[in-house]
Amino acid sequence: MSQSEALRVVRPNPWIGAAVYTGLLVAGIGIFLLICRAGSGLTVPAASDTTAAASGAIRHEPVNIVLHVLGTLAAVIFLGSLLGKVCRRLGQPPVIGEVLAGIMLGPSLLGAISPEAMHVLIPSATTDPKGQVTSALKAVSQIGVVLYMFLVGLELNAARLRKQAHAAVAVSHASIVVPFVLGSALALGLYKTLAPAGTTFLSFALFMGVAMSITAFPVLARILTDRRMSRTELGVVALSCAAADDVTAWCLLALIVGVAQSKLSNVAAITAGAAAFIAVMFLIVRPLVTRLSARFDATTAPLPPMVISGTFLAVLLAAMTTEAIGIHALFGAFLCGAIVPHDGRIAREFTAKLKDPVTVLLLPAFFAYTGMRTQIGLVSSGEDWLWCAAIVVVATVGKFGGTLGAARLTGQSWRDAAALGALMNTRGLMELIVLNIGLDLGVISPTLFAMMVLMALITTAMTSPIVSLLVPPAPQEEPAS
Amino acid sequence: MSQSEALRVVRPNPWIGAAVYTGLLVAGIGIFLLICRAGSGLTVPAASDTTAAASGAIRHEPVNIVLHVLGTLAAVIFLGSLLGKVCRRLGQPPVIGEVLAGIMLGPSLLGAISPEAMHVLIPSATTDPKGQVTSALKAVSQIGVVLYMFLVGLELNAARLRKQAHAAVAVSHASIVVPFVLGSALALGLYKTLAPAGTTFLSFALFMGVAMSITAFPVLARILTDRRMSRTELGVVALSCAAADDVTAWCLLALIVGVAQSKLSNVAAITAGAAAFIAVMFLIVRPLVTRLSARFDATTAPLPPMVISGTFLAVLLAAMTTEAIGIHALFGAFLCGAIVPHDGRIAREFTAKLKDPVTVLLLPAFFAYTGMRTQIGLVSSGEDWLWCAAIVVVATVGKFGGTLGAARLTGQSWRDAAALGALMNTRGLMELIVLNIGLDLGVISPTLFAMMVLMALITTAMTSPIVSLLVPPAPQEEPAS
């Protein structure tokens, strides 16, 4: 008798089956009721378990973290993909729509119209006194952003970048120094009215300078890909500059973290730590990864489980290391992606695996988290709006002007220098990350946070129209020459 | 002049470049110092911003949620993939090693040896008074488990299951009723010493009954796949029973949630809600999804972004709906996967996209979260260990015996009925999920939680050796006949 014959289910007489089943059920319920009757006299001594009180304490309607986090994610994904589609129609990067979706569902719009509706997503302090939902959303958003930066690193063509390094570094530094100086000058005017109590001018000015100098590497990459410019010379220079900007900006941000926490002695340690980390990644890890990646390029067999868990582990460890050093988890994740050969199988498979779950599912948590903290309503008086306008103007003049000047000096034409300036003025996601850090540190007030978020959105929205005017759209992705 | 020529970077004289760059940097630093000097006399009025105090309050070394969550994930992934590999060598499902990794890094082992080392991963209540890291880890773990259940649903062959429905339902119900009754009988003995204060006997007995009746559908699926049995008749019956078990168990669990929160009136609402949800999913959503999926089967073009975000959105909404109804988010996610045609492109692409990020990166958060809450040390006295042994025996006798009996009655051979009983005795992941819910509700004490976790591990570890004895390993995946 073969196995499959033996296993063929012999249909018994349906009446017998039903009778057995009903009998079983009735007997089960009957026995259970008898057990309950027997147990009804039992009582639990009050101190039967030392930790019982602790677990008993949360019985009174604890906030449902899972429901709130899933609901917030769903709302932001829904509204974000709608607004993202609208943005795409208007020739804008979809990220603007996604950020707007987060802001609209937060206190700035939904919360202003109906706080109850907003509390359905993010519970109020009364129902969630420990801020558990906020912590949860923050953790999910950070994991999303860490994986996103890893993807951005994976897509980076390091070999191509190195060729452009000279021009990129000069342009990049100019595009940081000029907005940094202008931003810290603006801090003179903003400090009295918009700095939070207890912040020193030094840390406030440093933060405003860095916040003005940010370029959104990921958004820039997305704009270039959308416009099919990511492999043109202009695109590569812009990406290289933005990458160099990122490294510089994170280093400056590390300085601020040190200053804001009044631990200037830490700054030397942070700088040394960052240098050591970069050296280890490039001199030790990179050759190993290159060799490992090459081994899988020749075969089509699935990557072994150890390589998959090893890669995720490497991203987590790199992110943790930079977070522990003080230059934020994102930098480590990005660098971890950047050292993987971008055309090898590891890079291709991880990009294919991670792209949708990260950008569609996890990144919206970041947009929601940022939107939750953005209170546009705080920007109320005419004076506030004037300061907001001043911030936008200073940010644009500094970044656009600084890049334009430096690009001209390194030999670019006026048109290309201007296009590069416009591209570097994109602040999107990165600016939001930096602003969240500033708010966490208590270096900027919620009002200033809202103004800076508006600045990030406006400068990001400017980029596409200006680039369209300056660079005719490429018919298709230009192959590398 | 072509675009790429115009954009070619003209290398300027390096001396000029260096001079310009140095000048820029020196000028930038000089101006910044002047600005700081100008700003040194400025002070912020104490009440410059109404919410400043709130953001200022978290300046004193807030707990770094990101670092702790990333660190915990990294540790569990590392140890879990090592122990998982060991388990695989021993012919055991790797999930046992992953669960053990979580327990070893929690209070049961690492915390017992060195609480400081454990607090590096999960901070103590002193450094994290609001339990933010725990909330964060819980949210990440729940998102992981929700996506995992969606994947399990995607892999389910609904058409094949329906053919087996008759036998499956009878066996499945017997395999729930018998351990349920035995579990609630055991509750009579356990109630006095191991129920937390304030728990009624009814909810305690109900919970113990359900906790004994669980079969880990995902672990079962993994064991069958590892043993190349998932398409054999025995495998399909086991999977069908486990799936039917899940539905029943979740419904019973919903009853417990109602009873434990003293809202028996809710039970009717929960049952009605669950029925309505299942009806909507099968009668309305399923035909739409089948048509949509078929449309993409003919083409190889990438799935449109709206389908990708729509699918994630559907999973989140289904999970939220069942969570809001009261039958846990997992059930909705599982059903959402189950209604997608399992051989269509949507199922295949989402499985390919999600499998590694979910099982390798997010699910370890669940193992860590569970391990964190498991305190094996609470099971200390000889009496405790006897109760623990009794729990294992009752769980096994109930599940194995109940399944065996029902399978014989529906016409299986002794050997196959026994193999089915052994398979259904696998509790792994699902049991842990149910136990976590019980601990959240305050229905079981941490001591009992630890005992039940041990029971889950022991019954899961039993399965493979018993099945090996009864069913000779198949040479390869048997094609569907």
Side-chain angles (χ1 to χ4, degrees):
Chain A
M1 194 164 66
S2 85
Q3 186 183 314
S4 82
E5 263 180 87
L7 282 162
R8 192 167 47 80
V9 178
V10 182
R11 290 248 166 143
N13 183 325
W15 282 102
I16 298 177
V20 168
Y21 177 54
T22 312
L24 196 70
L25 213 61
V26 169
I29 293 171
I31 299 172
F32 180 72
L33 290 177
L34 285 177
I35 291 168
C36 282
R37 199 164 163 187
S40 64
L42 297 178
T43 45
V44 183
S48 69
D49 194 296
T50 47
T51 37
S55 50
I58 54 159
R59 283 181 72 188
H60 299 289
E61 298 282 343
V63 63
N64 191 328
I65 303 178
V66 176
L67 194 54
H68 282 288
V69 170
L70 293 184
T72 306
L73 273 182
V76 175
I77 292 173
F78 178 73
L79 192 58
S81 59
L82 269 187
L83 294 181
K85 210 170 181 179
V86 172
C87 281
R88 204 176 269 278
R89 285 267 162 86
L90 299 173
Q92 287 289 348
V95 70
I96 293 180
E98 292 163 357
V99 173
L100 274 178
I103 293 174
M104 285 165 74
L105 293 170
S108 300
L109 187 68
L110 186 61
I113 298 170
S114 154
E116 290 76 28
M118 187 182 73
H119 291 325
V120 170
L121 299 178
I122 307 293
S124 64
T126 326
T127 33
D128 182 21
K130 289 182 174 178
Q132 292 179 311
V133 174
T134 312
S135 306
L137 208 57
K138 182 176 182 176
V140 178
S141 81
Q142 290 299 309
I143 290 177
V145 176
V146 160
L147 292 176
Y148 186 64
M149 287 306 292
F150 173 61
L151 282 176
V152 171
L154 281 183
E155 282 179 17
L156 195 76
N157 187 333
R160 224 156 199 283
L161 202 146
R162 222 174 302 122
K163 275 203 293 182
Q164 304 281 355
H166 180 81
V169 169
V171 172
S172 152
H173 277 92
S175 75
I176 283 198
V177 171
V178 179
F180 183 89
V181 168
L182 291 181
S184 51
L186 187 66
L188 281 173
L190 293 169
Y191 185 60
K192 267 199 162 170
T193 44
L194 289 165
T199 307
T200 62
F201 180 74
L202 178 64
S203 50
F204 183 70
L206 273 174
F207 185 82
M208 287 305 293
V210 171
M212 292 292 180
S213 326
I214 293 295
T215 287
F217 185 82
V219 179
L220 180 68
R222 212 153 144 177
I223 290 178
L224 291 173
T225 310
D226 286 351
R227 308 186 68 84
R228 291 175 180 145
M229 282 170 62
S230 54
R231 290 187 191 174
T232 63
E233 297 275 347
L234 180 60
V236 171
V237 173
L239 280 174
S240 314
C241 289
D245 260 34
D246 264 8
V247 177
T248 319
W250 289 120
C251 291
L252 283 171
L253 203 62
L255 188 79
I256 295 169
V257 176
V259 171
Q261 299 180 331
S262 311
K263 289 184 198 154
L264 262 167
S265 62
N266 278 357
V267 174
I270 291 172
T271 314
F277 175 73
I278 294 172
V280 168
M281 288 298 273
F282 273 92
L283 301 179
I284 300 173
V285 182
R286 195 163 177 271
L288 291 175
V289 171
T290 307
R291 207 172 302 167
L292 188 72
S293 178
R295 193 189 298 170
F296 298 112
D297 289 345
T299 129
T300 55
L303 296 176
M306 275 301 184
V307 171
I308 291 168
S309 52
T311 306
F312 280 121
L313 202 57
V315 177
L316 292 177
L317 289 177
M320 279 170 66
T321 308
T322 50
E323 180 79 24
I325 290 173
I327 50 171
H328 210 283
L330 298 189
F331 183 54
F334 168 67
L335 210 62
C336 192
I339 60 162
V340 178
H342 89 290
D343 46 3
R345 250 189 85 203
I346 293 182
R348 272 185 288 119
E349 289 207 9
F350 272 86
T351 303
K353 272 181 216 302
L354 282 174
K355 211 176 174 193
D356 288 335
V358 170
T359 57
V360 183
L361 189 71
L362 298 178
L363 223 42
F366 177 71
F367 300 130
Y369 180 68
T370 306
M372 215 179 79
R373 307 179 90 187
T374 310
Q375 298 164 267
I376 306 282
L378 290 177
V379 188
S380 49
S381 66
E383 196 194 352
D384 284 345
W385 284 106
L386 279 179
W387 279 124
C388 190
I391 289 170
V392 175
V393 170
V394 167
T396 308
V397 168
K399 198 79 184 184
F400 181 83
T403 311
L404 180 88
R408 276 297 294 160
L409 283 174
T410 56
Q412 307 266 11
S413 69
W414 275 108
R415 177 189 285 260
D416 292 324
L420 201 57
L423 283 168
M424 298 294 285
N425 200 27
T426 304
R427 281 186 184 77
L429 210 51
M430 281 296 170
E431 181 76 41
L432 297 183
I433 292 166
V434 170
L435 293 178
N436 275 301
I437 295 173
L439 192 60
D440 282 341
L441 285 172
V443 174
I444 54 169
S445 64
T447 312
L448 191 52
F449 180 80
M451 291 178 177
M452 298 290 280
V453 168
L454 288 176
M455 180 273 282
L457 281 173
I458 294 169
T459 54
T460 309
M462 272 181 199
T463 304
S464 278
I466 297 178
V467 175
S468 290
L469 279 176
L470 294 170
V471 184
Q476 59 180 33
E477 189 77 73
E478 196 179 300
S481 56
Chain B
M1 193 164 67
S2 87
Q3 185 183 312
S4 80
E5 262 182 86
L7 282 165
R8 191 167 49 78
V9 178
V10 182
R11 292 249 166 141
N13 183 324
W15 282 101
I16 297 177
V20 167
Y21 177 54
T22 314
L24 197 68
L25 212 62
V26 170
I29 293 171
I31 298 172
F32 180 72
L33 289 177
L34 285 177
I35 291 168
C36 282
R37 200 164 165 189
S40 64
L42 296 178
T43 45
V44 184
S48 69
D49 194 297
T50 48
T51 36
S55 51
I58 54 160
R59 284 179 72 187
H60 299 290
E61 298 281 345
V63 62
N64 191 331
I65 303 176
V66 176
L67 194 53
H68 282 287
V69 171
L70 294 183
T72 306
L73 273 182
V76 176
I77 292 173
F78 178 72
L79 191 58
S81 58
L82 270 186
L83 294 181
K85 212 171 178 176
V86 172
C87 283
R88 201 177 272 277
R89 285 267 163 85
L90 299 173
Q92 288 289 348
V95 70
I96 294 181
E98 292 164 358
V99 173
L100 275 180
I103 293 174
M104 286 166 73
L105 293 170
S108 300
L109 187 69
L110 186 61
I113 299 169
S114 155
E116 291 75 29
M118 187 183 73
H119 291 326
V120 169
L121 298 179
I122 308 292
S124 65
T126 326
T127 32
D128 182 20
K130 291 181 173 177
Q132 292 179 311
V133 173
T134 313
S135 307
L137 208 57
K138 181 176 183 177
V140 177
S141 81
Q142 290 300 309
I143 291 179
V145 177
V146 160
L147 292 176
Y148 186 63
M149 287 306 293
F150 173 62
L151 282 175
V152 170
L154 281 183
E155 282 178 18
L156 195 76
N157 188 335
R160 225 155 197 283
L161 201 145
R162 222 175 303 123
K163 275 201 293 180
Q164 304 282 355
H166 180 80
V169 169
V171 173
S172 154
H173 278 92
S175 76
I176 283 197
V177 171
V178 180
F180 183 88
V181 167
L182 291 182
S184 50
L186 187 66
L188 281 173
L190 292 169
Y191 185 60
K192 268 201 164 169
T193 43
L194 288 163
T199 307
T200 63
F201 179 75
L202 179 64
S203 49
F204 183 70
L206 273 173
F207 185 81
M208 286 306 293
V210 171
M212 293 292 179
S213 326
I214 293 296
T215 287
F217 184 82
V219 179
L220 182 68
R222 214 153 141 176
I223 290 177
L224 291 172
T225 310
D226 287 352
R227 307 185 70 84
R228 291 178 180 143
M229 282 170 62
S230 53
R231 290 187 191 173
T232 64
E233 296 275 348
L234 180 61
V236 171
V237 173
L239 279 174
S240 314
C241 289
D245 259 35
D246 264 8
V247 178
T248 320
W250 290 120
C251 292
L252 283 171
L253 202 62
L255 187 80
I256 295 168
V257 176
V259 170
Q261 299 179 332
S262 311
K263 289 184 199 156
L264 262 168
S265 61
N266 278 357
V267 174
I270 290 172
T271 314
F277 175 74
I278 294 172
V280 168
M281 288 299 273
F282 272 91
L283 301 178
I284 299 174
V285 182
R286 194 164 177 272
L288 290 175
V289 170
T290 308
R291 207 171 304 167
L292 188 72
S293 179
R295 194 188 298 171
F296 297 112
D297 289 345
T299 128
T300 55
L303 295 176
M306 275 304 184
V307 170
I308 292 168
S309 50
T311 306
F312 280 121
L313 202 57
V315 177
L316 292 178
L317 288 176
M320 278 169 65
T321 307
T322 50
E323 178 80 23
I325 289 172
I327 50 172
H328 211 281
L330 298 189
F331 183 54
F334 168 66
L335 210 63
C336 191
I339 60 163
V340 177
H342 89 290
D343 47 2
R345 251 190 83 201
I346 293 182
R348 273 185 286 119
E349 290 208 6
F350 271 86
T351 304
K353 272 182 216 301
L354 282 175
K355 210 174 177 198
D356 288 336
V358 170
T359 56
V360 182
L361 190 69
L362 298 179
L363 223 42
F366 177 72
F367 300 129
Y369 180 67
T370 306
M372 215 178 80
R373 307 179 89 187
T374 310
Q375 297 165 266
I376 305 284
L378 291 177
V379 189
S380 48
S381 67
E383 195 193 350
D384 284 345
W385 284 105
L386 279 179
W387 279 123
C388 189
I391 289 172
V392 174
V393 169
V394 168
T396 307
V397 168
K399 197 78 187 183
F400 180 81
T403 310
L404 180 88
R408 277 296 297 158
L409 281 175
T410 57
Q412 307 264 11
S413 70
W414 275 108
R415 178 190 284 260
D416 292 326
L420 202 56
L423 283 168
M424 297 296 284
N425 200 26
T426 304
R427 282 186 182 79
L429 211 49
M430 280 295 170
E431 182 75 42
L432 295 184
I433 292 166
V434 170
L435 293 178
N436 275 299
I437 295 173
L439 193 60
D440 283 341
L441 286 172
V443 174
I444 53 170
S445 64
T447 311
L448 191 52
F449 179 82
M451 292 178 178
M452 297 292 278
V453 168
L454 288 176
M455 180 274 281
L457 281 173
I458 293 168
T459 54
T460 308
M462 273 181 198
T463 304
S464 280
I466 297 177
V467 176
S468 289
L469 281 176
L470 295 169
V471 185
Q476 58 181 32
E477 188 76 72
E478 195 180 299
S481 56

